[in-house]
Amino acid sequence: MNKKEVAHIRKQFKLDHDLLNLYDILNVYIMKDSSEVYHWERLPFGMVDREKQELYMGNFKKLLTGELDHKLFELKFQEEAEEPTKVMLHQGLVTGDPEEWQDLMLMLVDKMLADTKYEKDTVITFVRGQYHRPTKARNDEAEESEKNETFAHQFILCSVNSTEQQRKNLMFDYVEREFKYNVIVDPIVKLSSPEQGFFYPSVTDNYSDVNRILYCTGKSNFPDPHFIEQVLNAETSVTALEERAYFEDIVKELAGEQLDTTTIAQVYEQIQQVIEDAAGEEEPPTLDFKDVERVLKVSGVENVTAEKVELAFETIIDDRNYEMKASSVIPKFTTKSIKIETKVATISVSPQDLRYLKQVNYQGKRCIMIEVDEDVVIEGFTLSTEIL
């Protein structure tokens, strides 16, 4: 599943979209104290008040928002699992009976509650429906409507949302003309910030892949391993943050702990070039040990060989054939800046400009020196230039 496919699905989640049909919605309220189901309710989505429908649509879209390997993870199901969730979800996907779908989802809730203690009252929402994906790009001049040439995809979406208590307020009663203490005990369901959930099945090349599931986490780079392994019965996935750590450790293994800013900048530039060269391709570009060898050599790192890089992959990742995504390795916000924090200042610099920054020893003290093309102005005053 690539980012274009995720983006297409996410865009469908708005009211009155002609390529999306939502059949049923099931809400399950979990009490934090007992971790038990306090109440559940299933309704045809069309019978839900329109105002509520808008809130749910916003929640579903938020759940599917984020980058792959950061907040969204396409996972394979475990091959051997007792009472596999894959079977449960597939049965729920193909059944036309709302009550059977409801019972299957409540069974899945039971798996969520096993060995889990919720810190807040929690609402688990399931929705089943169907969306369509065009078989070809839109042609405004074509006589045949786009929606007549589509692939139909049945799906189940799940969102886990915590609740919060409303604040105590002082209110003014216009009728009685008096100030009153406003006490509302009903909790608010935080639909704007889902904590985790999933979309099943995943999609590959316009086809539903029932052997994979898209897991969504509310906190970037922090998927819930218990939910993935014990609830979904899926295999855990390496996050972008973990892959970046792999790369950093491999470079340290080969080049040492210290690098000058020019070398670091060139490494980033080489990886960015890999990403740009692969623009337009369906699959994201990856780096194996041969690619890392080339990047380091071009960047000026000495004594780098394919054998040394391959051994570093084996040492750090325990897999000499591992391929890491280039987008995970490069600094996350390449188009923005990297922050360099010291005890006296925080400096922000773009990766491509790192070459103009150096750490030097001046009068026995470590200093950061930045090359500039023009006078530096602070609060309207131009700094004088000192000759060292």
Side-chain angles (χ1 to χ4, degrees), residues 331-340 347-352:
K332 177 68 172 64
F333 300 108
T334 307
T335 57
K336 296 183 180 179
S337 62
I338 295 174
K339 287 187 177 181
I340 302 170
I347 303 169
S348 295
V349 59
S350 61
Q352 59 267 29

Side-chain angles (χ1 to χ4, degrees), residues 85 88 104-112 126 198 231:
T85 297
M88 197 181 304
L104 288 165
M105 296 306 101
L106 290 175
M107 290 172 59
L108 185 54
V109 170
D110 290 338
K111 294 188 71 171
M112 295 182 189
F126 297 93
F198 63 80
V231 178

Side-chain angles (χ1 to χ4, degrees), residues 360-374:
V360 299
N361 188 303
Y362 173 63
Q363 295 183 350
K365 298 180 180 180
R366 282 194 298 266
C367 302
I368 291 178
M369 182 175 68
I370 303 175
E371 179 185 337
V372 295
D373 295 329
E374 54 192 16

Side-chain angles (χ1 to χ4, degrees), residues 250 254 289 292-293 296 304-313:
I250 288 170
L254 297 166
F289 73 88
V292 173
E293 176 202 6
L296 295 181
V304 175
T305 65
E307 291 75 16
K308 288 182 178 179
V309 181
E310 188 177 8
L311 180 59
F313 267 67

